[in-house]
């Protein structure tokens, strides 16, 4: 039997009969309806309200990171992180080529240039050894600043992404950021509920961004958050995302050109209900990943992406690697014809027309994963909820 046919049969066995089955769908219950209704009835639907504070507190409690500032989306959260990291016009920011374009766009909003780094197969995140060798080769330290010797630009920050929810190698990457004097930012948009060495993703970076878009593990409809351990950065994040208005009983004065990036209370109400569901959703997604892993280990020619060692992943999107691009495309065609809406990886950022001229290292692992990888349907509701203790 051709490989793609065997994979199709496994999907038919594992997934429910109803079609189409999309890549990732949100899951709402009674709590969502109750809290959103309560928010509507309160009249406080916009940028001020108790649900925003409650949502932020639930993120703090869950992740163990002491400050959270809710924003309109993950892109706005990352933009805020970059500004607070001191990233400015003419800087470079290091980030993986294998990520959603929402990681790189805010680098450009802040006036900087994205500089693309290769990933490794086990974590899908930045390869620390190769990053270290590359920076040793192409940069020099002058004072407290790292410079790219060929472009002459300061390299200000390292943005690590936890791709598909799998934690990147944070101990090594944090060491590299310190060695080269780079601000460490974590794009944890896909990794709420993912842990490494018992620490939640986002715990290493000076600044971290989350996303609550409709396709993420939990959603506010749209939403994001900045997380940080630093109380001063937290205070500045709150100020910058609320139009930099100075606190006053009645005067309306702003001490900077700020941003209207505050999460509306209505979206936060949905987020509060989703946070209550998170343990349940994670358990369902873990079960689905296990079922995929068991089915695909007996099939020659494919490789299912397991969670990295010493990690607990949220299994946001399940990844299957095929032998080559031809079979990947064949699988995408046959599964779509049956209503299984599988997707390839995002086209790597260095191959997107807007970033054609961006600096980069050699990216063989990124290109290999892109040409062979397929994301499988991964919604939590593809598995029955069971009691979580
Ligand atoms: C979703 C996502 C973003 C952007 O978040 P939005 O809420 O959609 O703006 C950024 N980075 C990564 C890795 C993402 O997956």
């Amino acid at each position: 039997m051709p490989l793609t046919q065997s994979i199709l049969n496994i999907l038919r066995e594992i997934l429910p009969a109803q079609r189409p089955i999309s890549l990732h769908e949100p899951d709402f219950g009674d709590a969502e309806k109750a809290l959103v209704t309560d928010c509507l009835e309160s009249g406080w639907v916009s940028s001020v309200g108790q649900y925003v504070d409650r949502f932020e507190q639930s993120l703090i409690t869950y992740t163990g990171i002491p400050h959270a500032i809710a924003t309109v989306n993950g892109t706005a959260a990352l933009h805020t992180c970059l500004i607070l990291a001191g990233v400015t016009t003419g800087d470079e920011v290091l980030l993986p080529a294998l990520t959603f374009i929402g990681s790189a766009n805010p680098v450009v909003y802040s006036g900087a240039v994205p500089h693309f780094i290769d990933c490794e197969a086990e974590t899908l995140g930045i390869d620390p050894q190769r990053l270290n060798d590359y920076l040793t080769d192409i940069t020099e330290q002058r004072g407290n600043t790292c410079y790219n010797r060929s472009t002459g630009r300061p390299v200000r920050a390292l943005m690590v992404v936890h791709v598909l929810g799998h934690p990147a190698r944070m101990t090594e990457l944090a060491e590299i950021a310190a060695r080269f004097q780079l601000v460490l930012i974590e794009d944890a948009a896909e990794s709420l509920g993912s842990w490494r060495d018992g620490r939640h993703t986002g715990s290493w970076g000076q600044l971290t961004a989350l996303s609550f878009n409709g396709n993420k593990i939990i959603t506010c409809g749209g939403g994001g958050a900045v997380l940080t351990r630093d109380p001063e950065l937290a205070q500045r994040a709150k100020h910058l995302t609320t139009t930099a208005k100075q606190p006053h009983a009645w005067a309306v004065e702003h001490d900077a050109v700020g941003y209207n990036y505050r999460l509306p209370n209505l979206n936060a109400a949905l987020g509060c209900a989703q946070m209550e569901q998170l343990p349940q959703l994670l358990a369902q997604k873990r079960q689905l990943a296990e079922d995929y892993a068991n089915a695909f280990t007996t099939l020659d020619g494919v490789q299912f992406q397991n969670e990295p060692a010493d990690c607990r992943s949220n299994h946001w999107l399940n990844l299957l690697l095929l032998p080559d691009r031809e079979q990947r495309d064949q699988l995408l065609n046959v599964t779509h014809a049956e209503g299984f809406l599988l997707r390839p990886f995002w086209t790597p950022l260095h191959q997107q027309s807007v970033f054609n001229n961006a600096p980069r290292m050699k990216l063989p692992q990124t290109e290999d994963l892109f040409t062979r990888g397929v994301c499988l349907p991964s919604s939590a509701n593809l598995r029955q909820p069971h009691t979580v203790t």
Side-chain angles (χ1 to χ4, degrees):
M1 199 190 302
L3 183 61
T4 50
Q5 193 59 45
S6 306
I7 297 170
L8 185 61
N9 286 341
I10 288 174
L11 294 177
R12 285 189 188 124
E13 238 166 75
I14 288 186
L15 297 173
Q18 107 267 339
R19 310 280 163 75
I21 296 182
S22 47
L23 195 64
H24 203 282
E25 280 176 12
D27 192 344
F28 303 131
D30 293 341
E32 281 77 1
K33 279 182 199 148
L35 296 198
V36 170
T37 305
D38 178 67
C39 180
L40 282 173
E41 286 171 354
S42 77
W44 294 90
V45 295
S46 197
S47 52
V48 176
Q50 57 145 351
Y51 283 114
V52 186
D53 302 329
R54 193 169 134 190
F55 185 55
E56 289 174 338
Q57 192 52 54
S58 72
L59 295 173
I60 291 165
T61 306
Y62 184 79
T63 62
I65 301 169
H67 302 281
I69 297 88
T71 60
V72 285
N73 56 49
T75 310
L78 270 177
H79 187 201
T80 306
C81 291
L82 288 158
I83 294 168
L84 295 179
V87 171
T88 187
T89 309
D91 289 351
E92 290 183 14
V93 173
L94 305 163
L95 78 159
L98 190 68
T99 181
F100 176 57
I101 200 163
S103 304
N105 283 341
V107 173
V108 179
Y109 304 162
S110 58
V113 176
H115 187 145
F116 297 122
I117 302 301
D118 205 11
C119 58
E120 50 156 33
E122 190 191 334
T123 65
L124 307 176
I126 290 176
D127 181 331
Q129 185 61 53
R130 289 186 44 233
L131 174 63
N132 188 63
D133 294 349
Y134 181 63
L135 292 180
T136 305
D137 197 32
I138 69 144
T139 67
E140 68 186 15
Q141 305 298 126
R142 275 186 258 143
N144 294 328
T145 308
C146 175
Y147 285 88
N148 179 335
R149 280 193 283 108
S150 66
T151 63
R153 291 188 287 243
V155 184
R156 199 72 66 185
L158 170 63
M159 181 193 293
V160 175
V161 185
H162 304 291
V163 176
L164 308 186
H166 297 300
R169 266 182 227 284
M170 290 317 300
T171 310
E172 294 85 342
L173 292 169
E175 271 170 27
I176 292 168
R179 184 172 316 134
F180 291 92
Q181 305 188 85
L182 309 169
V183 180
L184 181 62
I185 295 171
E186 287 181 66
D187 177 350
E190 300 169 4
S191 69
L192 183 68
S194 295
W195 309 72
R196 173 179 281 281
D197 303 324
R199 290 169 72 178
H200 196 275
T201 46
S203 303
W204 288 263
Q206 236 165 298
L207 292 146
T208 287
L210 300 178
S211 166
F212 307 105
N213 189 35
N215 64 346
K216 296 303 193 312
I217 187 149
I218 65 161
T219 186
C220 297
V226 174
L227 303 180
T228 180
R229 302 189 167 279
D230 183 328
E232 197 186 309
L233 286 175
Q235 195 274 327
R236 288 175 57 205
K238 173 86 178 276
H239 189 62
L240 201 60
T241 54
T242 53
T243 68
K245 183 183 169 300
Q246 290 182 308
H248 193 277
W250 41 261
V252 184
E253 269 181 49
H254 305 260
D255 58 19
V257 178
Y259 297 86
N260 183 15
Y261 277 175
R262 190 77 173 146
L263 182 72
N265 202 43
L266 189 57
N267 299 81
L270 185 56
C272 288
Q274 289 266 283
M275 278 304 283
E276 288 172 20
Q277 264 214 73
L278 180 60
Q280 182 80 261
L281 297 171
L282 287 168
Q284 289 168 263
K285 287 173 72 70
R286 174 160 294 272
Q287 185 61 54
L288 178 62
E290 258 175 45
D291 293 347
Y292 276 138
N294 289 335
F296 287 120
T297 43
T298 55
L299 185 61
D300 282 341
V302 297
Q303 202 188 320
F304 181 76
Q305 189 75 24
N306 287 308
E307 67 191 346
D310 308 315
C311 292
R312 198 169 170 84
S313 292
N314 65 4
H315 298 283
W316 175 54
L317 290 184
N318 291 291
L319 178 71
L320 191 67
L321 295 173
L322 280 94
D324 52 43
R325 186 174 200 141
E326 200 186 320
Q327 303 209 52
R328 180 200 75 170
D329 291 353
Q330 202 177 62
L331 179 67
L332 286 163
N333 286 328
V334 301
T335 51
H336 273 245
E338 287 232 2
F340 297 117
L341 306 185
L342 280 61
R343 292 278 286 274
F345 263 113
W346 321 272
T347 298
L349 297 184
H350 67 293
Q351 293 178 13
Q352 307 262 4
S353 58
V354 286
F355 296 125
N356 268 344
N357 298 319
R360 75 213 47 184
M361 67 190 281
K362 288 200 174 73
L363 301 161
Q365 196 63 59
T366 298
E367 285 166 10
D368 181 61
L369 286 167
F370 169 60
T371 52
R372 298 195 298 120
V374 170
C375 293
L376 306 172
S378 299
S379 308
N381 61 19
L382 297 173
R383 281 294 168 277
Q384 291 306 312
H386 41 106
T387 315
V388 181
T389 49

Coordinates of all heavy atoms in Angstrom, one line a residue, residues 73-75 99-100 102-103 161 187 189-190 211 213 216 223, ligand 1:
N73 N -3.7 41.2 21.0 CA -3.2 40.0 20.3 C -1.8 39.7 20.6 O -1.1 40.5 21.3 CB -3.5 40.0 18.7 CG -2.9 41.2 18.1 OD1 -1.7 41.5 18.3 ND2 -3.6 41.9 17.3
G74 N -1.3 38.6 20.1 CA 0.1 38.2 20.3 C 1.1 39.0 19.6 O 2.2 39.3 20.1
T75 N 0.7 39.5 18.4 CA 1.6 40.3 17.7 C 1.9 41.6 18.4 O 3.0 42.1 18.6 CB 1.0 40.7 16.3 OG1 0.6 39.4 15.7 CG2 2.0 41.4 15.4
T99 N 8.9 29.7 11.8 CA 7.9 30.2 12.7 C 6.8 30.9 11.9 O 7.0 31.2 10.7 CB 8.5 31.1 13.8 OG1 7.4 31.5 14.7 CG2 9.2 32.3 13.2
F100 N 5.7 31.3 12.6 CA 4.7 32.1 12.0 C 5.2 33.5 11.7 O 6.0 34.0 12.5 CB 3.5 32.1 12.9 CG 2.3 32.9 12.5 CD1 1.7 32.8 11.2 CD2 1.9 33.9 13.3 CE1 0.7 33.6 10.8 CE2 0.8 34.7 12.9 CZ 0.2 34.6 11.7
G102 N 4.0 36.2 12.3 CA 3.7 37.1 13.5 C 4.9 37.2 14.4 O 4.9 38.1 15.2
S103 N 5.9 36.3 14.4 CA 7.1 36.5 15.2 C 7.9 37.6 14.6 O 8.6 38.4 15.3 CB 7.9 35.2 15.2 OG 7.2 34.1 15.6
V161 N 11.4 30.9 19.9 CA 10.0 30.5 19.7 C 9.8 29.0 20.1 O 10.7 28.2 19.7 CB 9.6 30.7 18.2 CG1 8.1 30.4 18.0 CG2 9.9 32.1 17.7
D187 N 8.9 34.0 22.4 CA 7.6 34.0 21.8 C 6.9 32.7 22.2 O 7.2 31.6 21.6 CB 7.8 34.1 20.3 CG 6.4 34.0 19.5 OD1 5.4 33.7 20.1 OD2 6.5 34.3 18.3
A189 N 3.7 32.1 22.1 CA 2.3 32.2 21.5 C 1.7 30.8 21.4 O 0.5 30.7 21.5 CB 2.4 32.9 20.2
E190 N 2.5 29.8 21.2 CA 2.0 28.5 20.9 C 2.2 27.5 22.1 O 1.8 26.4 22.0 CB 2.7 27.9 19.7 CG 2.5 28.7 18.4 CD 3.4 28.3 17.2 OE1 4.1 27.3 17.3 OE2 3.3 29.1 16.2
S211 N -0.2 34.3 22.9 CA -1.3 34.6 22.0 C -2.5 33.8 22.4 O -2.4 32.7 22.8 CB -0.9 34.3 20.6 OG -2.1 34.3 19.8
N213 N -5.2 33.9 20.1 CA -5.9 33.9 18.8 C -6.8 32.6 18.8 O -6.7 31.7 19.5 CB -4.9 33.9 17.7 CG -5.6 34.1 16.3 OD1 -6.5 34.8 16.2 ND2 -5.0 33.4 15.3
K216 N -5.2 29.1 18.8 CA -4.3 28.7 19.8 C -4.9 27.8 20.8 O -6.1 27.5 20.7 CB -3.7 30.0 20.5 CG -2.9 30.8 19.5 CD -1.8 30.1 18.9 CE -0.7 30.9 18.1 NZ -1.1 32.0 17.2
G223 N -6.4 37.9 21.3 CA -5.8 38.3 22.5 C -4.4 37.9 22.6 O -3.9 37.1 21.8
Ligands
LIG1 C1 -0.1 33.1 16.7 C2 1.4 33.5 16.8 C3 1.8 34.8 16.9 C4 0.9 36.0 16.8 O1 -0.2 36.0 17.6 P1 -1.6 36.8 17.2 O2 -2.4 36.7 18.4 O3 -2.2 36.0 16.1 O4 -1.2 38.1 16.8 C5 3.1 35.1 17.0 N1 4.0 34.1 17.0 C6 3.7 32.8 16.9 C7 4.7 31.8 17.0 C8 2.3 32.5 16.8 O5 2.0 31.2 16.6

